[in-house]
Amino acid sequence: MKIKAVVLGALLALALLLTMAAMAKTGSGKAKDKDKDRDSPAATAGTHNAQDDTMRLAGEKRFHSNCARCHVSPPKFSPRMMGTIVRHMRVRSAITEEDARLILHYMSQ
């Protein structure tokens, strides 16, 4: 019974990711333009520093130790959408708040 619940949870998470990927491809141009402006090299050049690199590397390690058992790295989503995904998976798994924060930072880069 417990195995069925885990498999069902994994399938639901996969369905959520696939649905969100489809939504991202067909999303409105306004949302894409906002993300494009924010992620442009000119916008990120001033905010990139050693702490960002450290957090990204820590987030990558946490992703591989917590998430990569069941998931491959999903395509890039907006930080808002990725926040929703990380919060959902934190509820469904045993990820600490710090791990979730670092994973979100890694996945949003």
Side-chain angles (χ1 to χ4, degrees):
M1 186 70 181
K2 195 172 192 177
I3 293 173
K4 287 182 182 179
V6 171
V7 170
L8 180 61
L11 289 174
L12 287 173
L14 179 62
L16 174 69
L17 286 174
L18 291 174
T19 302
M20 293 175 84
M23 288 173 50
K25 284 185 179 179
T26 61
S28 70
K30 292 179 184 177
K32 287 180 183 179
D33 290 343
K34 281 183 189 176
D35 291 340
K36 187 179 183 183
D37 290 343
R38 188 188 64 243
D39 293 337
S40 70
T44 59
T47 60
H48 184 74
N49 59 28
Q51 185 179 8
D52 284 341
D53 288 339
T54 304
M55 286 181 66
R56 187 185 58 75
L57 289 173
E60 184 176 7
K61 287 179 185 177
R62 303 277 170 84
F63 176 85
H64 287 295
S65 65
N66 291 304
C67 309
R69 289 179 270 165
C70 302
H71 305 284
V72 296
S73 183
K76 293 291 182 186
F77 294 114
S78 69
R80 181 178 175 192
M81 191 177 290
M82 191 54 68
T84 302
I85 294 168
V86 170
R87 273 194 312 275
H88 173 77
M89 291 309 297
R90 180 169 182 240
V91 169
R92 300 191 57 81
S93 61
I95 298 174
T96 65
E97 184 176 350
E98 181 181 356
D99 285 351
R101 183 177 53 81
L102 291 170
I103 290 169
L104 178 58
H105 184 78
Y106 163 65
M107 297 303 291
S108 299
Q109 294 297 312

